[in-house]
Amino acid sequence: MAVINRPGQPPLWKRRSTVQDLLVWLGWLAAVALTVACFQFISERTIWAFVWDAPRQGADLVGRMFPPAWGYADQLWKPLWDTINIATLGTALAVLLGVPLAFLAAHNTTPSVVFVRPLALFIIVASRSINSLIWALILVIILGPGVLAGILAIALRSLGFIGKLLYEAIEEIDRTQVEALESTGANPAQVLSWAIVPQVMPAFAGITVFRWDINIREATVLGLVGAGGIGMQLEASINTLAWPQVTTIFLLILATVAVSEWLSARVRHAII
Amino acid sequence: MAEPLLVLTGLTKRYPTGDLALDGVDLAVPRGQVMALIGPSGAGKSTLIRCVNRLVEPTAGSVRLEGQELTRLSRAALRRARRRMGMIFQEYALVERLSVMENVLSGRLGYVGFWQAWFRRFPRRDIEQAFRLLDRVGLAHMADKRADALSGGQRQRVGILRALMQEPALLLVDEPTASLDPKTSRQIMRLIVELCEERGLAAIINIHDVGLAQEFARRIVGLRAGRIVFDGPPEALDAAVLTAIYGEEDWSRTIRRSDQEEDMAEAAA
Amino acid sequence: MSATTFDAAAAARRWRPPPLIASPLLRYAVYLGALAYALLALGSIEVNWTRAAEGLDRAAAFLSGFFPPDFVTKWEDIQEGLLESVTMTIVSTAAGILLSLPIALGAARNLAPLPVYLFCRAIIAISRTFQEVIIAIIFVAMVGFGPLAGMLTLAFATLGFMAKLLAEDIEDIERAQAEAVRATGAGWFSWIAWSVLPQVKPRLIGLSAYRLDINFRESAVLGLVGAGGIGDTLNTAFDRYEFGTAAAVLLIIIAIVLACEYASGMIRRWVQ
């Protein structure tokens, strides 16, 4: 904000000074130009005839998708069970690995700020940068297709997520509660379990449930690269252009995600 | 004559920022003596008691408790030594998500192993002792309440019990009443002094409130800019001394007010 | 204190450590349920151990791809994939945010009439339920292979994400401030501009930065279903067992994600 004093006249109030104004406008201009240039780039790689045809294609697709093949649902229960297992066991494994990692990464609990902490942070970053689908792709090459690859893919992606949020929670704990137990003569392991763990418990539970909810969603597509679950059926149905089956799968996914979201909201509510 | 319980010699603390918090403090506290440490904010009161149990590492000087030099102890030996010094905090510093009983029992952590503590398998004797102390301060029925469900005064009582569970010889008390209302403050101070008398404990009490210090402590030490500028009985605390500790101010009302409070308390008792 | 003498010994005998779940019935139900589920789920994983054992060689081959990673051989492909990913990210974030603003206003119960509210909430629900990859499959079917499908996917996902969080924010805005402006006799649009927008602006900027970061990560997998981006390059590299190139792509993704995260963290700190 700027107030411009003019001799002989009441001071002029403007939100920004003229230079600031100019900079803001230039910033916006640059952002718009960048976006347009990027769109240009995408546009060059697009066959626009297909796009103009999209509404008809879309209508056609919807026509072929309905009515859903309800009978197909019978074959989906086992893949659905697998999907839920991939998400749940994957989250459990991620917790087992991610919790120690978080304690190694947090500034106030790490055994060594110079050696251990950077390593733990690197593992967290690497895990988080790579999407679970890419983890699945790698694991399917190594382990072969199946549920195990899916579980490990979910675990490898979630471990960084849980590790990061948990170590931030650990760094934000109340220092004096830790001091109080240190002053009783408790050893470091006891201080960890009596003063730090109780403080981060709610955050930990919230993070885990939150990630489980996300993982249910992720697990529905891992099958596309062969890592088990309902995505395998989706892949097969799309490849054979069996669109009514695809609709059935979508509806089932919709229902599952809705239930998991409701469940995780309930659990989070109960904890806090 | 035997050595006093706690002897500080030339205790100095310089923070990495360069601030000199303690400047060669010499102090001896005999067994069973309740001592109040007064002084303006930033005088080094908090640093002094934290240097005793090495929550803050002293830069130079010696700290001897029961004849043992603390400043050169290894981590493990320091933990054993800390069991003899109970600390009471300004903001109570209870582990809020643990129950009252667990908070009291946490004073025994220095005496039990990790797994024993993890599964809460404390010796029956400790649990009995905890219940006796909780009953003593009127909180036995709250044993399984979570600590964050308690009022300020109740929390500070639990904080005191945690320190007592350590079977200490010395209490280090850091502004015990700063977060409490005047009435609860008096109750807490009285409780600390009574418990010290019952058990023959010495105490160093950091306190802002000169009136409370005069009323409850038998010895007052004034700290200013990291140096001891007064050491004597509460009666010797007059306007000149307060000026030496806190700087120029009209002290007549402060001294009179503490007398009035005493009258009020007697009327209330 | 106590009127009757208190029996500490008896109380100590009765005392038990507080359990995590207070009700014993619920406690055992939860423990048993968890145990039964773990057994069932673990029992239903089919692992082809001989195949997994063979995987060790492949894992070694994959890891050796990192020493050193091969940036050179397929540099053209990597460059093309990266440019697609980056442009997709930028355009979709911009478009998604622009579209999310009206939807967010419509999805805030304190601003919108009920039919509009339900319509906007339905869009948000669909966008958030389906994993990006599933949405990408639909868009690829409609507009053909290429980065446009990826861009549309990410824009749609951004729309749901931003609109939900912004709508919650708008619902929480301070009533008093909003009413004060309304009391000056402002019209609906100036009311939005003067009271609602300033209150949600910092959060809008913070969320946008965060979403830009997410969109880049997601853009790396959309290639798996033909929606363009670096995922395409990665998938091809894996298909041809060119692990050196795959390692290079993974390292580039990690580096860019790190840079994005750092930048978005800076932006968020700067805004608040």
Side-chain angles (χ1 to χ4, degrees), chain B residues 183-223:
Chain B
K183 179 165 178 257
T184 317
S185 295
R186 302 182 67 83
Q187 290 170 343
I188 290 293
M189 283 302 286
R190 184 169 296 119
L191 181 67
I192 292 175
V193 170
E194 276 176 14
L195 288 167
C196 283
E197 268 168 21
E198 281 169 27
R199 289 149 189 269
L201 305 182
I204 300 179
I205 307 179
N206 277 353
I207 190 154
H208 260 302
D209 190 322
V210 177
L212 281 177
Q214 276 180 298
E215 182 181 346
F216 289 103
R218 289 210 229 107
R219 175 185 175 194
I220 292 186
V221 170
L223 206 60

Side-chain angles (χ1 to χ4, degrees), chain A residues 84-142:
Chain A
I84 294 169
N85 288 343
I86 290 172
T88 311
L89 296 177
T91 311
L93 190 59
V95 166
L96 285 182
L97 299 170
V99 169
L101 198 62
F103 281 101
L104 295 180
H107 220 283
N108 46 353
T109 53
T110 184
S112 155
V113 180
V114 186
F115 299 107
V116 181
R117 183 163 192 264
L119 188 69
L121 286 179
F122 175 75
I123 296 175
I124 288 175
V125 167
S127 152
R128 277 162 46 76
S129 311
I130 298 173
N131 199 292
S132 51
L133 210 55
I134 296 179
W135 280 117
L137 196 65
I138 298 170
L139 286 162
V140 167
I141 289 173
I142 293 173

Side-chain angles (χ1 to χ4, degrees), chain A residues 4 26 39 54 76-77 89 93 107 148 170 244:
Chain A
I4 299 160
L26 273 178
F39 186 72
L76 292 177
W77 300 122
L89 296 177
L93 190 59
H107 220 283
L148 185 64
I170 294 171

Side-chain angles (χ1 to χ4, degrees), chain C residues 22-42:
Chain C
S23 146
L25 204 66
L26 182 66
R27 184 161 73 236
Y28 289 114
V30 167
Y31 290 166
L32 273 177
L35 187 71
Y37 171 77
L39 289 177
L40 270 176
L42 289 171

Side-chain angles (χ1 to χ4, degrees), chain B residues 26-44:
Chain B
D26 296 310
L27 183 70
V29 182
R31 278 184 194 279
Q33 184 184 69
V34 174
M35 186 201 100
L37 192 61
I38 63 172
S41 304

Side-chain angles (χ1 to χ4, degrees), chain A residues 45 85 128 142 217-218, chain C residues 37 55 80 128 131 261:
Chain A
R45 280 152 187 76
N85 288 343
R128 277 162 46 76
I142 293 173
R217 251 168 267 231
E218 304 259 297
Chain C
Y37 171 77
E80 173 70 15
R128 288 173 46 80
Q131 229 275 344
E261 191 161 292

